[in-house]
Amino acid sequence: MIKIGGKSILFCLVYFYFTAVGYAQCAMCRAALEGEGNNSKAEAVNDGIVYLMLIPYILVALIGFAVYRIYRQKKG
């Protein structure tokens, strides 16, 4: 079994919090949303982009973790 310390969990929580807060927009989305005074629409687009961006990273991390566990079980 893998032991995870308190510092590792804290680091992961802080890392995922700050990556989820970061906002990104493509040039087309930014141009479409800058002209309007509707901030809630811009925030919704930003949240959607961050949501769509996180899913592949989470899936790759889970697959990597599964491969690591399989490798460790076969080795030990």
Side-chain angles (χ1 to χ4, degrees), residues 18-58:
F18 284 115
T19 57
V21 173
Y23 291 101
Q25 286 183 345
C26 67
M28 296 298 291
C29 296
R30 182 172 297 191
L33 295 174
E34 279 182 352
E36 298 178 24
N38 191 359
N39 287 337
S40 63
K41 185 176 180 183
E43 289 178 12
V45 169
N46 282 334
D47 291 341
I49 291 170
V50 170
Y51 175 74
L52 290 173
M53 180 185 70
L54 285 178
I55 299 300
Y57 286 108
I58 291 170

Side-chain angles (χ1 to χ4, degrees), residues 8 11 16 53 55 64 69:
S8 298
F11 174 79
F16 285 119
M53 180 185 70
I55 299 300
R69 285 191 62 188

Side-chain angles (χ1 to χ4, degrees), residues 3-14:
K3 292 185 180 181
I4 299 177
K7 288 183 181 180
S8 298
I9 293 173
L10 180 64
F11 174 79
C12 289
L13 290 175
V14 170

